[in-house]
Amino acid sequence: LRREHRRRAFIERFWSERDPFPETRPNEFRELWEARRAAVAERFGGPVDERGRAFLLAGEPASIEMEPCPAWLPSMEIWRYRGGREAAPAFHLVFVDAPGGRRLWARPDSLADLVAWPRRQPLAGEADLERELRTRCADGGRLVADLATAASWDELDRLALLPRPSTEWVATFLARSTELPEGAETFRATLDVDYPARHQSRTVVQGLVTVPVEECRAEGSGPATVCRFVLDGELLRDGELFDDFRYRFELPAAEAAGGRVPLVIQRYLRPGEYDLAIRVHELASDRYHRVERRLEVPVAPGVRIASTPVVAPPAPPVPAPAAQGEAGLAPLLAEANSTLETEEHRLLLRVPERGLLTGRVRVTASVSSEAIAKVAFSLNGRPVMTKARPPFSVELDLGRAPRLHRLMAVGVDAEGRELTRDRLLLNVGPQRFAVRLLEPRPGRYRYSLRARAEVDLPRGARLDRLEIYLDETRVATLYQPPFTQPILLPEGDAIAYVRAVAYLEDGNSAEDLVYVNAPQNLDSVQIDFVELYTSVVDRKGRPVEGLTAESFEVIEDGSPQRLARFDRVRDLPIHAGLVVDASTSMTEELDQAEKAALSFFQRVIRPKDRAAVFRFSDQPELHVPLTNNLEALAGGLAGLEAEGETALWDAVVFATYYLAGIRGKRALVLLTDGEDSISRNSFAEALEFARRAGVAVYSIGLALGGSRDFEVRNLLRRLARETGGESFFIDRAAQLDSIYERIEEELRTQYLLGYQSSQTSSDAYREVEVRVREPGLTAKTIPGYYP
């Protein structure tokens, strides 16, 4: 790394990758390491002394023993560590005086080497040395054993259990540079920077890199010919890295305006001086363009731009492309920039808390502009109330039973024109992953528009990228906020759509879509895309693999549906929650249940999968959040204790809520040994919430053989059947291994059947049936769903 700011940025990233709790402000590991480093400097003069190096790796030992032995032996220190942390075993280190300072003794060293270190004459042989140690040292037998079992450097590195992040970030960091590779070929381009508006307290900085189309070695043929670029940028302030960014562009060469390919970037900066460096990589030819620019970011003019109605935003007076000549492409962006308002009209929905909401709940819409004269509220697509003066709040009745709800508030001006809106999903849980296009609004655009998206990330997840599409052409990929991208439109004003697709690091995705240039009288119909996770078994109940899409027939409310997606779940990520009954009656079985559960996680969890651990007695609680870390899952299972009563249906609602916002295959494995005795939610309410959330429940009843437990068995069967899961009943926890093996087999051998529903009813329950055309095979899936 040739530049100082890059070296400092690398160090910060090095530590952040090792932060055990990134959601908290301090970096606990870095603080621990710095404290150890200070102790090493004070006690050992630095890590040159091998004791200092060991202290950095393993920390303070439980005890340090000085070994008194014959004068012909060097003095020794034995450091003993208790172990036990994250199941690490106890171990010890032996340090011996040697030329140049203390040295770590390792088993490959011989006892003759030990004697030779102080440069004394060794005895005749290894056996004589061991005999001398046993007879002449105070505790010679123990010393011989300690020397034979002392940890080496390699073992210490493993036993110390330091954070070991993937090294993929290093390659990513090095690739995201503005430096030119040695001997790189270059191409011509120009950079124009403009400051079109303000964004809250910052100035909008818009950069336009213009590449002559002849400098682009386009790939593909005909209309599909595209120019592909990766743009990396850095902004320095007072010599420190203030911001870095990356964009990826794939633009149709045939639509290059005036024979030039536009690459548009946008950042929000406070007024002041910055140093900008940009490197553009033309991928097809592996050539580069690099430019540095001193920026003096002004306070953008405070000229208020009139708000545009949602139905048909008027285009500003923009010269036609043919009239642009050599004046540059910047005027074409005026239409996109017309929505950059000096005083933004923003509306934000707020609820008292974001947990599981039932009953009467007051919702408030906070607005940032006096131009918003009224706010209209709707719940699940139905109007609730319009408030004509602040405070813009409304009390909603969400019902006694927990449900998923769609809440919307629309802010309009005095003339009734929509200025802004906000949407909120209630009871979707903390793991929701979604992307929402705030712009463009439906309307007409001639030359350019601005795509602006917001992304809701699951707790603890990282966004990999956000892709922006115009129709099915991916025009830009953004790797960091703000997720705003101006887009130049092809000639004409044909109907089109803008699509934003967000990807997590584990490959999961979410998307949103907005149509533009559509006729004002165009009717829109909400089409639900339905995903059915389906198991297929033969007459003996064994899972069947190897089927194709043609093997299945899907019927919804009596109407055949056409499959639009077909996948094997073996290739898709799974999110599983283990819900363990920890009431007093489970005291004798809990240890065996923990061991079986850990074995289940070890079989099921792969790099893209996640699992969570819930326990319940008087009330449910989350013991381990979603993770693929087996050590964390094992620690959560080991911490379970049996006590209290059985809040069974509350546990189903609680765990379902936690998984409700996740896309893809979700499953709850519910283990209980008794009927509900204390829940606030009824069975019917728990079942309804699980069905609406689309979470499959695999219920396991333990020792439910008596007549008193007959109703519990029936309820557990129904819960599993109506959510697309399976029910099992066993006598002892020792039988859990075989049950978990069957669940794991079913989860991995399912098929994903996706279709666009032909139904248009808004909130009615829809019955579903999946048939297999091959004789002797039966399909199992949910019996229906709520749209």
Side-chain angles (χ1 to χ4, degrees):
L1 301 178
R2 298 195 291 266
R3 297 179 184 259
E4 183 61 29
H5 72 271
R6 291 276 290 166
R7 290 193 285 271
R8 289 193 293 267
F10 182 91
I11 291 171
E12 290 303 315
R13 181 69 184 274
F14 174 92
W15 289 116
S16 68
E17 290 293 326
R18 287 161 172 77
D19 189 351
F21 306 106
E23 64 275 10
T24 62
R25 183 178 297 275
N27 185 327
E28 291 80 2
F29 175 69
R30 185 174 188 176
E31 292 179 353
L32 171 66
W33 186 267
E34 294 295 345
R36 287 184 183 179
R37 197 164 66 116
V40 166
E42 180 180 350
R43 294 167 57 177
F44 309 110
V48 174
D49 187 310
E50 292 195 354
R51 291 173 300 173
R53 178 181 166 195
F55 191 96
L56 282 172
L57 293 174
E60 187 75 50
S63 65
I64 298 178
E65 302 170 5
M66 304 300 296
E67 187 64 43
C69 260
W72 45 264
L73 282 180
S75 64
M76 285 178 277
E77 290 183 21
I78 301 178
W79 291 16
R80 300 193 187 278
Y81 291 85
R82 291 195 180 95
R85 183 169 61 90
E86 298 185 29
F91 64 96
H92 64 275
L93 308 172
V94 177
F95 295 97
V96 183
D97 270 342
R102 294 280 187 178
R103 174 183 167 185
L104 182 72
W105 168 267
R107 290 194 301 275
D109 297 323
S110 68
L111 293 180
D113 293 330
L114 178 66
V115 176
W117 280 354
R119 300 177 184 274
R120 298 178 183 274
Q121 181 66 33
L123 298 180
E126 194 82 8
D128 293 336
L129 289 170
E130 183 175 326
R131 185 167 51 253
E132 286 291 323
L133 292 177
R134 290 181 181 277
T135 58
R136 298 179 64 178
C137 293
D139 192 352
R142 187 181 185 191
L143 175 59
V144 170
D146 283 341
L147 291 170
T149 58
S152 65
W153 283 121
D154 288 343
E155 292 166 321
L156 175 58
D157 189 47
R158 175 174 52 84
L159 293 167
L161 296 174
L162 300 181
R164 300 179 185 278
S166 167
T167 58
E168 290 182 2
W169 71 269
V170 179
T172 301
F173 183 92
L174 296 176
R176 294 181 64 166
S177 169
T178 62
E179 298 294 324
L180 293 180
E182 188 173 350
E185 293 186 41
T186 61
F187 63 87
R188 295 180 298 114
T190 59
L191 169 66
D192 294 304
V193 180
D194 195 13
Y195 311 98
R198 295 175 64 182
H199 177 79
Q200 301 175 27
S201 63
R202 303 197 177 197
T203 298
V204 178
V205 180
Q206 198 168 80
L208 174 62
V209 178
T210 305
V211 182
V213 71
E214 60 269 18
E215 293 286 352
C216 162
R217 297 186 184 176
E219 299 177 302
S221 59
T225 302
V226 295
C227 298
R228 297 168 55 238
F229 300 92
V230 171
L231 185 151
D232 288 291
E234 292 178 332
L235 280 160
L236 276 64
R237 191 167 192 177
D238 298 326
E240 296 290 336
L241 183 64
F242 180 83
D243 185 23
D244 64 341
F245 48 88
R246 163 169 281 198
Y247 293 79
R248 184 185 179 99
F249 299 95
E250 298 182 12
L251 303 173
E255 298 175 4
R260 290 159 293 175
V261 180
L263 313 179
V264 186
I265 60 174
Q266 190 164 292
R267 316 302 298 164
Y268 300 144
L269 299 178
R270 291 188 175 90
E273 294 186 348
Y274 299 83
D275 292 307
L276 170 67
I278 286 179
R279 185 189 73 177
V280 183
H281 183 195
E282 203 274 318
L283 297 177
S285 64
D286 195 27
R287 293 179 301 151
Y288 294 84
H289 175 80
R290 187 179 189 279
V291 61
E292 290 189 14
R293 181 75 57 84
R294 181 75 169 177
L295 301 183
E296 295 185 4
V297 178
V299 177
V303 178
R304 177 166 176 161
I305 303 173
S307 60
T308 55
V310 66
V311 177
V318 180
Q324 294 299 315
E326 297 299 322
L329 299 174
L332 289 176
L333 296 173
E335 187 175 10
N337 292 337
S338 67
T339 60
L340 290 168
E341 298 179 332
T342 302
E343 182 181 357
E344 290 189 328
H345 304 310
R346 290 182 293 124
L347 180 153
L348 183 64
L349 279 168
R350 301 181 185 275
V351 293
E353 56 185 27
R354 298 296 291 270
L356 193 59
L357 301 174
T358 58
R360 304 194 74 82
V361 176
R362 179 158 292 279
V363 176
T364 300
S366 301
V367 300
S368 64
S369 170
E370 294 182 358
I372 300 175
K374 298 179 182 180
V375 175
F377 295 89
S378 63
L379 183 66
N380 300 322
R382 298 184 178 93
V384 175
M385 180 181 292
T386 298
K387 296 296 291 289
R389 64 176 62 89
F392 298 113
S393 63
V394 62
E395 189 173 74
L396 303 175
D397 186 359
L398 302 183
R400 181 183 180 280
R403 276 192 54 183
L404 301 177
H405 297 281
R406 301 185 305 274
L407 176 65
M408 179 181 290
V410 178
V412 299
D413 63 13
E415 286 72 39
R417 296 177 301 182
E418 178 179 330
L419 300 179
T420 183
R421 65 173 56 193
D422 191 21
R423 294 175 290 176
L424 197 62
L425 292 179
L426 305 180
N427 295 339
V428 293
Q431 300 300 318
R432 166 176 162 78
F433 174 41
V435 62
R436 179 159 58 103
L437 274 169
L438 304 178
E439 293 182 39
R441 298 174 181 176
R444 305 200 69 79
Y445 301 85
R446 296 181 62 192
Y447 306 125
S448 63
L449 55 80
R450 187 165 69 113
R452 180 165 65 98
E454 286 186 352
V455 181
D456 294 329
L457 292 176
R459 189 173 298 167
R462 290 185 180 182
L463 184 71
D464 181 71
R465 66 191 187 277
L466 177 79
E467 297 178 346
I468 303 293
Y469 289 80
L470 181 62
D471 294 334
E472 287 305 304
T473 300
R474 180 174 57 190
V475 295
T477 302
L478 285 63
Y479 295 87
Q480 65 291 308
F483 298 116
T484 300
Q485 183 60 39
I487 301 174
L488 292 180
L489 300 176
E491 293 186 17
D493 56 355
I495 185 172
Y497 56 86
V498 176
R499 188 161 60 101
V501 186
Y503 292 89
L504 297 180
E505 288 183 334
D506 62 11
N508 282 312
S509 64
E511 67 178 79
D512 193 18
L513 179 145
V514 172
Y515 277 95
V516 296
N517 293 341
Q520 295 187 27
N521 59 354
L522 184 69
D523 290 332
S524 63
V525 178
Q526 179 68 36
I527 301 297
D528 296 293
F529 191 81
V530 185
E531 294 183 339
L532 302 177
Y533 290 89
T534 306
S535 302
V536 179
V537 296
D538 60 18
R539 289 189 174 93
K540 295 183 178 181
R542 296 172 299 195
V544 177
E545 296 189 84
L547 300 179
T548 64
E550 289 71 26
S551 304
F552 294 91
E553 182 181 6
V554 178
I555 310 295
E556 181 182 296
D557 283 346
S559 301
Q561 307 294 313
R562 185 178 66 85
L563 286 184
R565 182 181 181 187
F566 178 82
D567 281 306
R568 297 172 61 212
V569 175
R570 185 179 298 275
D571 305 322
L572 301 175
I574 292 175
H575 293 82
L578 179 64
V579 187
V580 180
D581 186 343
S583 58
T584 304
S585 58
M586 285 286 292
T587 300
E588 296 183 1
E589 302 287 356
L590 207 52
D591 286 345
Q592 186 63 43
E594 292 169 5
K595 295 176 183 177
L598 180 57
S599 177
F600 170 69
F601 286 142
Q602 290 170 338
R603 286 196 302 264
V604 170
I605 301 303
R606 299 176 183 177
K608 288 188 176 182
D609 302 325
R610 299 291 184 272
V613 177
F614 306 86
R615 72 170 295 281
F616 69 94
S617 52
D618 295 328
Q619 61 184 14
E621 59 185 45
L622 175 66
H623 248 226
V624 181
L626 280 172
T627 180
N628 61 0
N629 186 322
L630 290 174
E631 291 181 353
L633 293 168
L637 290 168
L640 298 178
E641 296 182 1
E643 59 182 359
E645 298 188 53
T646 306
L648 176 58
W649 309 131
D650 282 355
V652 172
V653 171
F654 179 82
T656 301
Y657 163 71
Y658 182 79
L659 297 180
I662 302 173
R663 293 170 57 90
K665 178 62 179 177
R666 296 158 295 160
L668 285 182
V669 180
L670 172 65
L671 173 64
T672 184
D673 73 337
E675 64 180 334
D676 187 283
S677 61
I678 199 174
S679 285
R680 292 174 299 173
N681 296 284
S682 66
F683 166 76
E685 291 165 348
L687 173 61
E688 180 80 352
F689 190 64
R691 288 165 63 181
R692 288 182 179 274
V695 178
V697 180
Y698 292 81
S699 59
I700 305 174
L702 178 60
L704 296 176
S707 58
R708 180 181 63 84
D709 298 323
F710 179 76
E711 182 179 359
V712 180
R713 293 168 66 99
N714 283 340
L715 294 179
L716 292 177
R717 285 194 185 100
R718 185 181 171 192
L719 177 65
R721 182 179 65 252
E722 297 197 21
T723 59
E726 186 64 84
S727 58
F728 307 89
F729 300 95
I730 56 178
D731 298 322
R732 303 285 297 176
Q735 300 170 266
L736 280 170
D737 275 325
S738 61
I739 300 300
Y740 285 145
E741 187 174 350
R742 289 179 58 183
I743 294 175
E744 187 265 341
E745 185 178 26
E746 176 165 318
L747 290 176
R748 289 295 179 194
T749 56
Q750 287 184 320
Y751 300 91
L752 172 57
L753 311 179
Y755 65 94
Q756 290 182 339
S757 172
S758 61
Q759 311 299 314
T760 57
S761 58
S762 59
D763 202 34
Y765 183 75
R766 302 172 183 176
E767 294 184 353
V768 173
E769 180 185 3
V770 176
R771 302 170 183 170
V772 186
R773 292 188 171 95
E774 279 78 353
L777 302 183
T778 303
K780 298 191 305 176
T781 190
I782 57 173
Y785 71 96
Y786 287 95

